[in-house]
Amino acid sequence: MLIKKITVIFFVIYLVSCSNTKKDQNNNDSLVTKLDNEYDIEKKYTQAMIYLDENNLIEASKIFNNIEKLYPLSNEAIQSQIMSGFIDYVNLNYDSAIFKFNSIIRKYPSLKNLDYVYYMKALCFYEQIKHEDLDGEYNKLALKNLNQVIIRFPNSEYAKDSYQKIILVKSNIAAKHISIARFYHKKSKLTAALNRYQIIVSEYSETKFTPEALYRIAEIYYSLGMIEEAKKTASVLGYNYPDSEWYKYIYNDLTKKNEDNSFSKSLNKLLKK
């Protein structure tokens, strides 16, 4: 009886040992498979980046798409999505690129290089701006998305370029306002013109159109009998833009050409104070 019990115990130990050995073997096989997959993913991704660097966008796109399908949970799959969006951007397929970038932003809000995704999305809108009179919507969208880069990632390497592009977008918008304001001004629709000039001064003061807007505002104020407002506006122009051609226009008008003009006389007194 004792011998039978001992035999059973040894048999159980043997089964457990075999089970553990098989489990260890399976774990080892799983680890090897995982390492092989990781190596395969990295190899594919590296090859895709080589194609991209060689401007072979078709082959690069194929591999990026393949990585996304076969290894959807890998970091390379996420980066492949970003690169697919970039390829669409290069090919001027802006709508497709924006869709992909939005998807990445929604799915991976804590992604390490999310600043690049926001920046590329903003560029998709920015590069569709062609003319201030035709692309009002793209001006707004570009401005909104470039601001997102600066607000969310102020220390990003893309923040500085985003800020510079914001200035260009604002200049584009201000150009439209100044064009409309000049039209109203010539038609003696002074209130409508004044509103446009004031938008430039209040919202797009960084642009080159601000000195002219201030000059025109001073003109309109005086013609409407708002003498003090005209003086204050001319003073702002002289203080902030002393080297501007528009300040020089005022100065020349006051000192040489139109001293008999009541508007010029008023400003002349102001400048002599």
Side-chain angles (χ1 to χ4, degrees):
M1 186 68 178
L2 179 61
I3 295 175
K4 186 175 181 181
K5 287 183 178 180
I6 292 174
T7 302
V8 170
I9 291 172
F10 275 114
F11 181 70
V12 170
I13 293 174
Y14 173 76
L15 289 177
V16 171
S17 176
C18 289
S19 176
N20 288 336
T21 301
K22 186 175 182 180
K23 184 176 181 181
D24 289 342
Q25 181 63 42
N26 289 336
N27 287 338
N28 289 334
D29 290 343
S30 178
L31 179 60
V32 170
T33 301
K34 182 179 179 182
L35 292 174
D36 285 343
N37 285 339
E38 289 179 355
Y39 175 76
D40 189 45
I41 298 171
E42 292 177 2
K43 186 177 179 181
K44 287 178 181 294
Y45 186 80
T46 300
Q47 183 59 56
M49 292 301 293
I50 291 173
Y51 280 136
L52 187 63
D53 188 56
E54 294 173 347
N55 205 34
N56 190 344
L57 303 183
I58 295 176
E59 292 302 319
S61 183
K62 287 180 181 178
I63 297 178
F64 287 136
N65 290 334
N66 184 258
I67 292 174
E68 289 182 55
K69 291 176 181 178
L70 296 180
Y71 316 101
L73 301 180
S74 68
N75 180 63
E76 284 79 6
I78 300 174
Q79 299 306 315
S80 292
Q81 291 177 51
I82 297 174
M83 290 298 100
S84 292
F86 174 77
I87 290 174
D88 283 337
Y89 161 79
V90 172
N91 287 327
L92 307 183
N93 296 326
Y94 295 119
D95 289 343
S96 177
I98 291 168
F99 177 82
K100 290 177 181 178
F101 292 139
N102 278 332
S103 177
I104 295 166
I105 291 170
R106 186 177 64 257
K107 291 179 181 178
Y108 312 106
S110 58
L111 188 65
K112 184 177 180 180
N113 57 337
L114 196 63
D115 57 339
Y116 175 76
V117 180
Y118 270 94
Y119 176 71
M120 290 305 306
K121 178 186 172 184
L123 286 188
C124 288
F125 293 116
Y126 176 81
E127 295 198 0
Q128 294 185 78
I129 299 172
K130 297 176 182 178
H131 191 279
E132 66 270 11
D133 292 331
L134 301 176
D135 301 306
E137 188 64 23
Y138 289 126
N139 279 318
K140 294 176 184 178
L141 290 170
L143 194 60
K144 176 183 176 181
N145 285 276
L146 288 167
N147 273 317
Q148 284 291 307
V149 177
I150 295 174
I151 293 170
R152 292 175 179 272
F153 314 99
N155 299 319
S156 167
E157 61 182 301
Y158 307 107
K160 183 177 180 180
D161 187 63
S162 294
Y163 179 77
Q164 292 174 340
K165 283 182 168 56
I166 284 173
I167 299 300
L168 293 174
V169 174
K170 285 188 172 183
S171 294
N172 208 48
I173 297 172
K176 181 175 182 178
H177 284 299
I178 202 76
S179 177
I180 295 173
R182 288 169 183 162
F183 172 80
Y184 285 140
H185 205 161
K186 289 179 181 179
K187 298 292 183 179
S188 297
K189 296 181 179 180
L190 301 183
T191 302
L194 181 62
N195 289 336
R196 292 286 179 167
Y197 290 133
Q198 288 175 329
I199 288 174
I200 295 170
V201 174
S202 62
E203 298 182 22
Y204 308 103
S205 59
E206 311 98 319
T207 69
K208 65 180 181 180
F209 301 103
T210 303
E212 179 185 354
L214 287 168
Y215 177 86
R216 300 300 185 189
I217 289 171
E219 277 188 320
I220 293 174
Y221 276 151
Y222 196 85
S223 65
L224 294 174
M226 304 169 68
I227 309 305
E228 290 303 315
E229 286 80 358
K231 290 179 180 180
K232 290 177 183 178
T233 304
S235 180
V236 171
L237 173 58
Y239 181 81
N240 290 283
Y241 305 97
D243 298 323
S244 166
E245 62 177 333
W246 295 101
Y247 177 71
K248 292 176 182 178
Y249 289 159
I250 287 180
Y251 183 83
N252 290 335
D253 285 346
L254 301 181
T255 58
K256 297 178 181 179
K257 297 179 181 178
N258 300 317
E259 290 189 346
D260 58 331
N261 179 275
S262 58
F263 176 64
S264 296
K265 285 181 179 180
S266 176
L267 293 180
N268 194 22
K269 291 178 182 178
L270 176 66
L271 291 171
K272 287 180 178 179
K273 291 181 180 181

